Amino acid sequence: FGSSLWVALLYPRSSVMSAAPTSGYVKESAVINAPLEAVWSMVAPMTFKFCSNVAQAKKNEEGSSILGQYTIAYTDNTVQTVKMTELSEGHSDKRSVGFELVQSEPAVSYTSVMHLITLTAVTHSQGGPQTFVEYSSDFSTDADTEAIQDSKYKKIEFFQDLQKAVA
């Protein structure tokens, strides 16, 4: 995931600025009104308990590695298994988690997708601590426009749910 791939969407919804997704890549971003560690504590466990469309999620018990697999059950009865591919906590002002889709029931219409959620502490704000959150998905070339657009809108819902959870 190179830096040339980043495009911004600012929160709240009334100030939406977004680039149209192209070639199977979609990225949305938001400023969350909470400190980095508060936001990270919601994202890092990979349970997404704050998401209104997630019924339950858990880490699968195979192995003790933090880069394990997680099963996420959604409110629409979709169940997906994702594999954490990256976890970065090395900088005092930045955190990230990457994960890829391993399995979906029902099946998705594309071969693969890699997700990356990056959190960066906002260093200058006037309304208290804030965190800049970027959420990107890189789909295989067989992903259709509907899958890309669905990903875009689910990211916007993700940001709204995250903001409510840390408020």
Side-chain angles (χ1 to χ4, degrees), residues 106-126:
V108 292
S109 62
Y110 44 86
T111 308
S112 65
V113 61
M114 299 281 295
H115 302 283
L116 180 65
I117 302 173
T118 304
L119 284 60
T120 306
V122 174
T123 59
H124 180 73
S125 68
Q126 297 184 10

Side-chain angles (χ1 to χ4, degrees), residues 21-26 139 143-153:
T22 59
S23 64
Y25 182 82
V26 62
F139 289 84
D144 60 19
T145 304
E146 183 178 337
I148 303 298
Q149 288 297 319
D150 184 57
S151 176
K152 170 189 168 99
Y153 293 114

